Amino acid sequence: MSEYINVAETFGCDVFNDAVMQARLPKKVYKELKKTMEEGKELTMEIADVIAHEMKEWAIEKGATHYSHWFQPLTGVTAEKHDAFITAPMENGKVLMSFSGKELIKGEPDASSFPSGGLRATFEARGYTAWDCTSPAFVRHDSAGGTLCIPTAFCSYTGEALDQKTPLLRSMEALNVQALRLIRLFGNTTSKKVIPSVGAEQEYFLIDRDKWLQRKDLTYTGRTLFGAMPPKGQEMDDHYLGTIRQRVSAYMKEVNEECWKLGVTAKTQHNEVAPAQHELAPIYAPANIAADQNQIMMRIMKRVATRHGMRCLLHEKPFAGLNGSGKHNNWSLTTDDGINLLEPGRNPHENIQFLLVLTCILKAVDTHADLLRESAADVGNDHRLGGQEAPPAIISVFLGEQLEDVLEQLISTGTATHSIKGRKLETGVKTLPDFMKDATDRNRTSPFAFTGNKFEFRMVGSRDSISECNVVLNTITAEVFKEACDRLEAAEDFQMGVHNLIKEYAIQHQRIVFNGNGYAAEWEAEAQRRGLPNLKSMVDAIPALTTEKAVKLFETFGVFTKAELESRAEIQYDLYAKAINIEARTMIDIATKQIIPAVIKYTTVLAQSINTVKAAGVNEVSVQTDLLKKTSKLLKNTNQAMARLAKLLEKIKELPEGEARARYCRDKIVPAMAALRQPVDELEMIVDKEMWPMPSYGDLIFEV
Ligand code: ADP
Ligand code: MG
């Protein structure tokens, strides 16, 4: 490991980025490629061949022996298949290193082993990967050597999306079309593109790898399924932004360096609320690049941890009773020439555009709150959302006092005619404050908060891809922009039309705005009064994908077909049921093979002690006897709870796959798991620590 690196020099050194392309590609080819990147123009094979050749030469210089189409199927992790650059041996027995345009643009992995949620019926097993030239290729170095990774989208042969990226690219395009219409109406003739910008703050835990290996629950499921709280948890708030331990600092340093080499802008790192919990945030980038970079970052975080004798836990809730981990998805709309549509402007005119964009987003989020909630649905996230640590499962929008006040003025100032000329709106708009970020004004309990010049969607789970929520944000915003543009283009008086729209949207969707405490029980009741959905679990959230409203939305903008949505719902149910099944089986395994034997040993020791003490002529053995009774009772409870869980698990097979199994798991298995955990955690509190078969919470989180 190097002592010192020159960040400016090493940044992006393993990336086939713009600078490399400009330097290495013939001018004409470079121009054609840029056109494709900017306008989505198709590349000719001739051009693709030249790019592929240069990319290969560059990659080989960087030590690459293989190339790989890198994609994100619906398994939740990235997938890749590696091919060496070599060609068949020539007559002289040597090989050439080759890589064609065709190989760059299109790959053909067998799709049959990836989740397709029923789509498989409509296509043959084959799928293909297509180069996403807007996200740069890179050379990754690991024990497999150097691999040229080419970011791709993954589709079935009939064009159905089988991955996270395809819908994301489609949604970005849909949003671009409508957002351009909107800014043109406001007189912008120069911007050529509107891009959703995303910065995802990643939370994670770091624990010692040897201890991790001793916890079957962590190794099989990513979270602890048993574990009593240590005497000290996170109540002292002494970890958040606290001094970073040396071992962790060394880890962070290496993570940063690896990120930087691959062009990932790792920027901010700090300790989080729970002991052993940390966060890393990059600088924002176009949504598809941000999604790719987040995947790259998560992989680096895991690999570097192993090298440092640690394990990086990306699960949403590794430890009950401590904060879980999420991923804050910061989202804004930026033009290619650097204008942020969520930046309140300097003059009233710009402010009106800002207010329209803002109220359109309010309408979008209110109309599709269920979809946005669904986009963050994940098995692990069920433990987090609504748990007094992360936003509740109810979607609402936090605007901050000043903006909420502006909206209220808009709503209360009579008709729009009056409001345009009326003093109040004029003042309201003119005095729109410069929304400089104000740390004291943060509402940490809000799932969707306006933070100065961007929205921060805080529901996403730490393991999850950020694609889903951005697909939803982009598409629902495109829908309202379209409606607004349709109306404004037809309006006789544009100014009046805009004011009417802002007011209408603000009034109709005011219910989604909530600036109070999202953790409070009153909010749940209030939200119910307002008619806002409260989808508590992943299983409750999944149906949002296939409502008539959702199908219409996604089909209108070419983001998902009905079949694709149905397949995604199917995959989600399946993932849920499978994950719960694995957790339940792991619990039974640990209880049978580790906990019960350990407790029996402990009771034997107690019984022996009673006999030995008595044999020595002392009759005072009440402590041992009490403990023995208590332990034996808990042991019995454990065994009963385990038998019950095992019996319930047996029944799953009788149910049809998909929704039925998922519901059964949530309603029957999850409570039975909790019932098994309870006596075990109680036992952990009384059994001799020397005899407890695995590291405790305290060992895991305080001894990193
Ligand atoms: P905050 O303090 O509000 O959390 P930070 O400056 O720490 O804001 O940024 C948090 C994340 O938001 C970072 O990943 C950052 O790059 C990203 N971010 C900042 N501005 C924008 C923007 N306009 N659009 C999208 N993401 C942004
Ligand atoms: Mg933040």
Side-chain angles (χ1 to χ4, degrees), residues 71-79 111 113-120 154-156 160-168 295 377-378 464-465 467-468 471 538 545 560 563-576 578:
F71 59 103
Q72 292 157 44
L74 299 168
T75 48
V77 290
T78 56
S113 299
F114 292 108
S116 83
L119 279 182
R120 199 165 300 136
F154 179 45
C155 293
S156 79
E160 278 118 348
L162 295 174
D163 69 345
Q164 304 279 16
K165 172 165 268 188
T166 307
L168 181 59
Q295 295 291 342
D378 194 42
D464 216 358
S465 160
S467 294
E468 288 159 83
V471 167
M538 174 172 176
L545 281 175
F560 285 122
E564 285 172 335
L565 287 167
E566 281 166 353
S567 84
R568 266 156 218 256
E570 210 46 41
I571 291 170
Q572 298 264 321
Y573 284 128
D574 198 43
L575 284 177
Y576 183 88
K578 281 185 178 147

Side-chain angles (χ1 to χ4, degrees), residues 322-350:
L322 295 177
N323 275 9
S325 303
K327 191 134 59 187
H328 289 178
N329 187 84
N330 293 271
W331 176 89
S332 70
L333 299 172
T334 324
T335 64
D336 57 330
D337 47 357
I339 304 165
N340 178 355
L341 304 189
L342 283 172
E343 187 88 56
R346 294 247 158 78
N347 59 51
H349 177 71
E350 287 172 10

Side-chain angles (χ1 to χ4, degrees), residues 197-201 268 281-284 330-334 340 437 442 444 451 453-454 456:
S197 300
V198 170
E201 304 163 55
T268 311
I283 297 172
Y284 64 94
N330 293 271
W331 176 89
S332 70
L333 299 172
T334 324
N340 178 355
K437 288 185 249 171
R442 295 300 182 73
R444 288 275 143 205
T451 47
N453 61 359
K454 60 183 160 56
E456 189 169 331

Side-chain angles (χ1 to χ4, degrees), residues 76 94 111 123 154 179 262 309 330 366 409 440 485 578 704:
K94 294 269 183 202
F123 78 107
F154 179 45
L262 293 183
N330 293 271
D366 186 27
Q409 284 185 46
T440 59
C485 292
K578 281 185 178 147
V704 187

Side-chain angles (χ1 to χ4, degrees), residues 605-607 609-610 613 620-629:
V605 170
L606 286 173
S609 156
I610 294 169
V613 173
E620 177 45 59
V621 285
S622 63
V623 173
Q624 293 95 317
T625 317
D626 282 353
L627 257 180
L628 181 57
K629 279 190 195 153

Side-chain angles (χ1 to χ4, degrees), residues 255-269:
V255 166
N256 286 332
E257 289 173 3
E258 296 231 343
C259 280
W260 293 335
K261 280 188 202 160
L262 293 183
V264 177
T265 51
K267 166 104 177 148
T268 311
Q269 61 200 25

